[in-house]
Amino acid sequence: MLTLAEVRAGYGSTRVLHAVTLEVTAGECTAVLGRNGVGKSTLLRCIAGLVPLNSGRITLDGRDVSSLPAFRRARLGVSHVPQGRGIFAGLTVQENLRVGPAAQRPAAAAATAERLLEEFPTLGAMANSKGGSLSGGQQQLLALARALATQPRLLLLDEPSEGIQPSILDEIAAVLARIRAERHIALVLVEQNLDFAARLAERAHVMVKGELVATVDTAELAADRDQQRHYMAI
Ligand SMILES: Nc1ncnc2c1ncn2[C@@H]1O[C@H](COP(=O)(O)OP(=O)(O)OP(=O)(O)O)[C@@H](O)[C@H]1O
Ligand SMILES: [Mg+2]
């Protein structure tokens, strides 16, 4: 459903992505692994329309979206959960869920929020708590729920495991697996946490200095320290 062909992009004169080619299928989780600063977030921002391409092409269901602004891509079903989650700390859980879908009327936004609070009981129990008072894992759930408010077909996840206690990672992984299966959504998961990525994707692309250099079996990589050092400098 999503393809990137020879995508090059960066910030000003700094080139970050070098000829990235990638294919993402509906209902699957496409993982991209890489150490700090290699360009993982930049890749997701390019797909979301937040960083312009220097060259190359991005297509969504065969349509060239390379120069569409972010809000038009969002309307086509692209939803981006940024690194650090991007929730509103001063708003309650319920309010966070209402301010997501900008195009909705207030009544529809409230109904969407109610539906999401039911779908995510952990959030339902904290509907009136401020976003900023939630734990890292709860904030990640809230960010996911917000991303789902727009009924996306493509979910871009930027290091969802970052800063989350190991005990809650299982819940986040299970929620993502359920979302993918039940909603038949395509996931692009960017991670440094190999074990977390391995729970959701059998294979992963490895990014080194803005290039996708290899495709690996995540279970094999998780068991192979030498390969980990080689690809991720862990
Ligand atoms: N807004 C920006 N302006 C200029 N340079 C940036 C900007 N954002 C990122 N960079 C640079 O682009 C490169 C890639 O950054 P990016 O955030 O995509 O990496 P990353 O793989 O997501 O890293 P991390 O694992 O730390 O999140 C880095 O050298 C970074 O300093
Ligand atoms: Mg990043």
Side-chain angles (χ1 to χ4, degrees):
M1 56 131 15
L2 172 79
T3 66
L4 277 71
E6 305 261 320
V7 165
R8 293 182 171 81
Y11 306 93
S13 59
T14 312
R15 288 297 175 92
V16 176
L17 299 181
H18 307 282
V20 171
T21 293
L22 184 67
E23 189 158 341
V24 173
T25 309
E28 285 188 9
C29 178
T30 301
V32 176
L33 298 171
R35 58 180 297 188
N36 273 329
V38 295
K40 302 182 300 299
S41 294
T42 305
L43 174 69
L44 295 189
R45 289 187 203 124
C46 278
I47 298 171
L50 301 170
V51 169
L53 308 193
N54 293 122
S55 66
R57 221 165 104 93
I58 299 180
T59 68
L60 202 59
D61 295 325
R63 171 179 177 182
D64 190 341
V65 298
S66 309
S67 48
L68 282 190
F71 78 93
R72 303 250 332 253
R73 293 191 213 189
R75 275 188 207 157
L76 293 174
V78 179
S79 192
H80 179 218
V81 182
Q83 197 165 3
R85 326 193 218 281
I87 63 161
F88 298 101
L91 299 185
T92 67
V93 165
Q94 190 169 44
E95 288 162 348
N96 264 280
L97 293 173
R98 286 184 189 192
V99 294
Q104 286 192 359
R105 291 163 184 276
T112 301
E114 287 308 316
R115 187 171 46 71
L116 289 165
L117 289 172
E118 276 173 31
E119 185 177 342
F120 294 90
T122 308
L123 297 178
M126 309 190 77
N128 297 314
S129 305
K130 293 269 196 268
S133 72
L134 271 50
S135 72
Q138 291 161 346
Q139 289 188 5
Q140 187 62 49
L141 278 179
L142 179 55
L144 280 173
R146 289 193 69 214
L148 293 175
T150 55
Q151 306 277 10
R153 295 159 56 242
L154 172 64
L155 196 51
L156 308 173
L157 302 163
D158 199 339
E159 300 203 37
S161 76
E162 195 179 26
I164 293 181
Q165 288 176 0
S167 57
I168 305 174
L169 285 180
D170 279 337
E171 185 182 347
I172 304 279
V175 163
L176 289 173
R178 177 169 59 81
I179 287 170
R180 184 196 57 190
E182 286 178 5
R183 299 181 177 235
H184 202 63
I185 288 179
L187 304 182
V188 180
L189 171 68
V190 151
E191 267 298 340
Q192 292 193 56
N193 182 332
L194 171 59
D195 291 329
F196 183 79
R199 291 183 216 193
L200 286 156
E202 282 173 27
R203 300 177 67 71
H205 305 277
V206 180
M207 181 171 270
V208 176
K209 291 183 188 157
E211 277 184 85
L212 294 180
V213 297
T215 305
V216 296
D217 184 301
T218 48
E220 264 174 37
L221 182 60
D224 186 339
R225 296 292 299 176
D226 286 342
Q227 225 191 359
Q228 286 173 36
R229 261 191 293 276
H230 180 64
Y231 286 129
M232 303 182 66
I234 289 171

